[in-house]
Amino acid sequence: MNTFNQEIVGHLFEFWSEIGNQGGFTKTGQGYTSTLAPSNSWPSKVFITDSSITDFEYIQRSMQIGILPNSLSIGEDEKQIEKLKLNGFKETSRVKAMCLSSDQDHPHGLPDDIVVVSSSKHALEFATVASKAFGYTIHPGTINALLGHQQFHLYLGVHLGIYASCGMVYFDGDGNSGIHMIGVLPIYRGLGLGKRLTQALLSKAEASRTKKVFLVASKLGEPIYAKLGFETHGSLVSFSV
């Protein structure tokens, strides 16, 4: 695993863990951390923090019987990936780990059609838009628990008077930031709403003088973010049992 991949994956693990801390559902074990959100919603994950001491047989059994979420993520470590596959874990996805140096130039300020998520009503709207955009459940309580937390900044995009897009910035403990949960309702895709929201999130990250901006992207999303200056550094790999 290269250094940038470690940084990006480490940021993402911290992001998930802090969401769980705010919602009261983060747990730590031997070489791993897990987040089990309400009704097994996002972000229900197991992520490996130290593979040298992790008992993968225990994790596998716990995932099978529902003690741990049935989704395990690691950085791009091919030896570890092969070991997991040999032990019965099934690879379910690879998303691209991407990084942007914060000296890029993006428009500053928040456009009028992008609003700050600042109330329980907004949190419900964010969870609704995100769930429809990504095709899995985001519990409103998970989002509501992040309101007012200085590390999380959540936004909704408005189109024709409708909340049509969502996204958030997370500021980690290493002076970096990440842009996450960038989604657009299916009926409004292809209108540039995702790019507009992404630029607003980048503006917020850069205004806070973070050293680097991280994200993870699908294969289809990778070229879109590359045009904004992001570079790919391996993948985040997920497994189930």
Side-chain angles (χ1 to χ4, degrees):
M1 195 184 334
N2 67 48
T3 301
F4 271 119
N5 185 262
Q6 286 179 319
E7 280 192 79
I8 299 165
V9 171
H11 167 90
L12 189 62
F13 288 177
E14 181 188 318
F15 169 67
W16 289 334
S17 181
E18 192 56 42
I19 290 172
N21 287 338
Q22 296 306 307
F25 52 79
T26 291
K27 295 183 179 180
T28 57
Q30 186 173 317
Y32 73 91
T33 300
S34 68
T35 52
L36 186 56
S39 302
N40 210 36
S41 58
W42 176 89
S44 293
K45 306 278 186 182
V46 178
F47 37 102
I48 304 304
T49 55
D50 186 350
S51 61
S52 67
I53 62 171
T54 303
D55 183 346
F56 286 101
E57 289 186 5
Y58 168 78
I59 290 177
Q60 184 182 41
R61 290 194 304 272
S62 298
M63 291 170 68
Q64 287 172 335
I65 63 177
I67 294 175
L68 291 174
N70 191 18
S71 179
L72 179 148
S73 295
I74 63 171
E76 194 169 72
D77 181 335
E78 293 301 331
K79 289 184 179 180
Q80 191 62 64
I81 289 169
E82 187 61 28
K83 181 179 178 181
L84 286 169
K85 290 180 177 179
L86 289 172
N87 282 279
F89 289 85
K90 299 176 183 178
E91 184 176 328
T92 54
S93 68
R94 289 193 186 216
V95 289
K96 302 298 183 180
M98 305 188 76
C99 176
L100 174 76
S101 62
S102 61
D103 59 358
Q104 301 286 330
D105 185 26
H106 293 93
H108 291 284
L110 201 63
D112 292 339
D113 58 350
I114 295 177
V115 299
V116 177
V117 175
S118 58
S119 67
S120 295
K121 183 178 179 180
H122 279 155
L124 176 59
E125 294 285 0
F126 187 104
T128 300
V129 172
S131 296
K132 291 179 179 178
F134 301 120
Y136 50 79
T137 302
I138 291 89
H139 195 281
T142 298
I143 302 303
N144 196 61
L146 305 180
L147 300 185
H149 193 290
Q150 63 181 357
Q151 288 179 276
F152 294 91
H153 298 261
L154 288 73
Y155 301 91
L156 285 162
V158 181
H159 180 69
L160 300 177
I162 301 294
Y163 290 121
S165 58
C166 63
M168 70 172 80
V169 183
Y170 174 71
F171 296 99
D172 68 24
D174 294 322
N176 299 311
S177 62
I179 57 176
H180 303 280
M181 301 299 287
I182 302 167
V184 178
L185 292 176
I187 60 172
Y188 296 120
R189 289 174 184 164
L191 301 176
L193 302 182
K195 181 179 180 181
R196 186 168 178 78
L197 187 58
T198 298
Q199 289 175 325
L201 299 181
L202 288 174
S203 175
K204 175 64 179 179
E206 291 165 359
S208 299
R209 301 183 183 277
T210 58
K211 294 181 289 186
K212 305 183 191 78
V213 184
F214 302 137
L215 61 78
V216 291
S218 66
K219 188 175 181 179
L220 290 175
E222 183 182 16
I224 297 172
Y225 293 116
K227 289 179 181 178
L228 293 172
F230 282 86
E231 296 181 348
T232 300
H233 299 278
S235 301
L236 173 81
V237 189
S238 295
F239 297 84
S240 65
V241 295

